[in-house]
Amino acid sequence: MHPHAAGGAGKATAPYGSWESPISAAAVSAAGRTAEGLAVAGDGRLVWVETRPEEGGRAVLVKEPAEPGGKARDVTPQEFAVRSLAQEYGGGAFAVQGDVVVFSNYSDQRLYKQTIGDSSPLPLTPDYAGSVVRYADVVFDPHSHRFVTIMEDHRHSSSNPITTIAAVRISGPDIEEPTMLVSGNDFYAFPRVDPTKKRVAWIEWSNPNMSWDKSQLWVGYFNAKGEVQKRICVAGGDPTLVESPTEPKWSSKGELFFVTDRRSGFWNIYKWDEQSNVVTTLYSLNAEFSKPMWIFGVSSYDFLGKDGSSHKIICCYRQNGKSYVGVLDHDSDSFSKVDIPFSSVNNIVSGDGSFYIEGASASLPVSIAKVTLDEKRTMATDFSIVWSSSEDVAKFKSYFSFPEFVEFPTVIPGQHAYAYFYAPYSDIFQGSSDEKPPLLVRTHGGPTDEARGVLDLTVQYWTSRGWAFVDVNYGGSSGYGREFRERLLGQWGVVDVNDCCSCAAFLVETGRVDGQRLCVTGVCWWIHNFSLSCFQTDLQGWFIFIWDS
């Protein structure tokens, strides 16, 4: 039953799709702010990137207010924007060390250094005309007092850039060319420097693979000059195993943790033993503790305690269409779920005595929250919103439709896929008992992205007007393990289209929607595939909508 459902008394009856709604296109656009990347400054306050539709999509660094309920402060001066174009999708556009931020500036793609509170960032990298050298995933190297970064060089080829791991000096009177540390493969990500010893971990992979298909985790050792002198492959080098390690992190004790999907096909957290070069899983679960790396800087887990000194890890995982947060004790291999209001979680970073989390739910828009744990670090004692993508969204609450998680059969016998179904809902209108609503099917991009069933005014725009809406996680989506994700290999434009048609057919057969009024929306490449394939199904009444970026 719909959470608002209490009968239709007092509601006006009107044809589905004709209802008036206060959720306008302008309201949808105004709710389009996003957050990207979380980091804790030296004073313990959070810093993140906020993109603003009202400023033409400009991305700025924002710092958490000193007092709860205060106003967050912009760190980035008006003439700058924080965004990397590395691998086109960017991400990982800044790093914080104490009260200093290093960021990639959108207009010229140079790295700049700025003291928080100062309005005059200083360039760290040379000025190459045309933004032909790009940087992402910047981290501090305490051993050589420099920053280590992914460097993507388009100077010799715009279509086939050279990607390396490089070092950037942060002191000295002159701006110098970054120093190459690791090269030779097609792609690199997650350079992470051990705070206790002179070594660095990173992820690399080669064409034609994507990072979630097959990748490798390496550890390199710095010599006295700060060069990577020798290296060892930690995961992904065994030809008998297909795996895609990701998100390496060093604890404050010099222990290396990472996420990989070896054998089980689900991304779980592992730990490396340097002496034996053996990796062991900390907690085995048929759930995804990470996601495909479309952007740099993803953080699905972190170490609790000041400076990450605890033996406990705060982490999130995705299982059966929902995100869960928990504390993993890597000494005792125990796991405790932490109950929070988010049903979808993207990023986690640890603070002093608390942690910050980016997430959302069916009633909460994408937000950043600060969570305080009890002394045993097994239960949340406080949950407070630090930032919201849409502070005014609550005024539409009486019109919200809440998602139903749906499992439906595909065209392959015995096989299933998943979706979130939103029934039409209005505070003042209802449909006639002898009419079924029209359906709008949405397919996500990627194609390895995932629909997550969270509050989205784009969805509510339609449902509040009397449309049914379904967000499909077709075969190839993330969140359900490698086997589900690989259904789309060699079948792009086939499996995804068939699954969306199967979902619509299921909703028609179960009496939820009108089989003569079926529409589809999504990214343009998908619509093209759909338009070529949908008329091969038994469903009638398909129309094509294009409303997405």
Side-chain angles (χ1 to χ4, degrees):
M1 179 179 288
H2 195 285
H4 293 314
K11 292 188 177 183
T13 299
Y16 285 111
S18 70
W19 304 349
E20 295 179 0
S21 170
I23 303 176
S24 64
V28 174
S29 177
R33 289 193 297 169
T34 62
E36 184 179 287
L38 308 178
V40 178
D43 61 1
R45 286 189 279 160
L46 187 70
V47 178
W48 67 94
V49 174
E50 174 184 300
T51 58
R52 297 171 175 169
E54 69 272 18
E55 296 184 31
R58 177 172 171 259
V60 301
L61 283 170
V62 180
K63 188 175 182 183
E64 178 188 7
E67 299 296 331
K71 186 176 181 180
R73 186 180 73 182
D74 285 6
V75 175
T76 307
Q78 186 63 40
E79 61 271 24
F80 290 85
V82 182
R83 181 184 173 190
S84 170
L85 293 176
Q87 289 188 14
E88 304 304 328
Y89 291 96
F94 78 101
V96 179
Q97 179 62 27
D99 64 348
V100 173
V101 295
V102 171
F103 66 90
S104 172
N105 184 45
Y106 175 58
S107 62
D108 58 12
Q109 289 297 290
R110 300 174 73 184
L111 288 180
Y112 287 79
K113 178 179 71 172
Q114 178 190 359
T115 300
I116 297 176
D118 182 19
S119 59
S120 302
L122 300 174
L124 294 177
T125 54
D127 185 8
Y128 307 105
S131 306
V132 292
V133 178
R134 306 165 182 179
Y135 307 90
D137 229 350
V138 185
V139 294
F140 182 64
D141 175 6
H143 310 295
S144 299
H145 195 65
R146 61 186 180 180
F147 279 91
V148 174
T149 180
I150 301 299
M151 177 171 153
E152 187 180 275
D153 192 342
H154 294 248
R155 284 176 289 183
H156 301 290
S157 172
S158 59
S159 59
N160 189 26
I162 298 172
T163 303
T164 61
I165 299 176
V168 177
R169 288 184 55 187
I170 55 177
S171 60
D174 300 322
I175 298 174
E176 298 180 355
E177 182 84 13
T179 302
M180 187 273 292
L181 297 175
V182 180
S183 65
N185 215 329
D186 295 319
F187 303 100
Y188 295 93
F190 293 109
R192 299 295 182 259
V193 179
D194 181 356
T196 67
K197 297 179 182 179
K198 292 184 176 182
R199 53 187 181 176
V200 58
W202 69 87
I203 300 294
E204 64 177 64
W205 66 100
S206 308
N207 280 321
N209 294 311
M210 302 295 279
S211 64
W212 52 86
D213 295 326
K214 187 173 176 60
S215 59
Q216 294 180 336
L217 168 61
W218 288 79
V219 170
Y221 296 82
F222 294 127
N223 61 19
K225 296 180 180 180
E227 304 164 333
V228 176
Q229 189 173 31
K230 66 173 184 175
R231 63 187 73 180
I232 183 171
C233 185
V234 172
D238 186 344
T240 66
L241 287 176
V242 177
E243 63 177 321
S244 50
T246 185
E247 292 197 60
K249 288 187 179 182
W250 300 95
S251 73
S252 61
K253 300 176 183 177
E255 304 163 302
L256 180 61
F257 297 83
F258 63 100
V259 179
T260 193
D261 60 346
R262 58 171 54 192
R263 295 190 174 91
S264 73
F266 289 90
W267 274 309
N268 284 193
I269 301 177
Y270 283 71
K271 181 180 178 181
W272 175 53
D273 181 80
E274 182 182 20
Q275 298 301 319
S276 61
N277 194 28
V278 170
V279 301
T280 55
T281 181
L282 298 187
Y283 185 74
S284 182
L285 191 66
N286 285 348
E288 299 280 57
F289 284 77
S290 189
K291 59 185 179 181
M293 198 212 82
W294 279 100
I295 63 172
F296 292 100
V298 172
S299 178
S300 304
Y301 70 99
D302 205 356
F303 307 104
L304 285 172
K306 189 174 183 179
D307 300 323
S309 57
S310 170
H311 54 85
K312 295 185 176 182
I313 294 173
I314 185 70
C315 56
C316 62
Y317 65 87
R318 193 87 178 150
Q319 187 179 51
N320 298 326
K322 184 179 179 181
S323 293
Y324 298 88
V325 174
V327 177
L328 176 60
D329 187 324
H330 57 84
D331 281 352
S332 63
D333 295 334
S334 62
F335 184 85
S336 303
K337 284 185 181 178
V338 177
D339 187 25
I340 62 170
F342 290 154
S343 59
S344 171
V345 174
N346 288 319
N347 287 297
I348 288 181
V349 65
S350 179
D352 187 4
S354 62
F355 65 91
Y356 295 90
I357 186 166
E358 178 196 346
S361 73
S363 57
L364 289 171
V366 174
S367 307
I368 298 173
K370 183 177 183 179
V371 184
T372 303
L373 298 174
D374 62 0
E375 290 185 2
K376 294 182 179 180
R377 291 176 176 156
T378 58
M379 183 181 300
T381 59
D382 185 66
F383 179 93
S384 58
I385 299 295
V386 175
W387 172 88
S388 172
S389 61
S390 179
E391 297 173 353
D392 299 328
V393 73
K395 65 185 180 183
F396 303 120
K397 187 174 182 180
S398 62
Y399 288 84
F400 288 167
S401 174
F402 292 92
E404 173 192 355
F405 183 66
V406 174
E407 181 178 348
F408 61 90
T410 71
V411 295
I412 305 298
Q415 187 184 85
H416 292 80
Y418 310 93
Y420 295 94
F421 174 71
Y422 299 79
Y425 186 80
S426 170
D427 196 37
I428 56 178
F429 291 101
Q430 64 182 357
S432 170
S433 60
D434 60 358
E435 182 191 11
K436 298 294 183 184
L439 174 68
L440 183 57
V441 178
R442 182 166 71 177
T443 171
H444 60 70
T448 57
D449 203 350
E450 179 192 3
R452 291 191 165 223
V454 299
L455 182 58
D456 179 355
L457 287 192
T458 302
V459 175
Q460 306 301 328
Y461 176 93
W462 292 98
T463 56
S464 64
R465 285 169 166 76
W467 282 73
F469 193 103
V470 67
D471 241 346
V472 183
N473 280 320
Y474 51 77
S477 305
S478 61
Y480 300 90
R482 178 182 283 269
E483 183 179 351
F484 188 86
R485 198 171 63 246
E486 290 186 344
R487 288 183 188 177
L488 205 58
L489 288 179
Q491 295 292 305
W492 198 7
V494 178
V495 169
D496 43 356
V497 170
N498 285 341
D499 285 357
C500 286
C501 291
S502 295
C503 182
F506 174 78
L507 295 175
V508 171
E509 292 164 3
T510 54
R512 291 173 167 93
V513 301
D514 183 354
Q516 297 300 312
R517 293 185 290 172
L518 305 173
C519 300
V520 63
T521 183
V523 290
C524 294
W525 59 263
W526 197 94
I527 294 294
H528 174 70
N529 288 336
F530 190 93
S531 65
L532 294 177
S533 306
C534 66
F535 298 108
Q536 299 175 12
T537 72
D538 293 331
L539 291 172
Q540 303 297 318
W542 278 108
F543 293 89
I544 307 300
F545 273 67
I546 299 178
W547 182 349
D548 212 328
S549 57

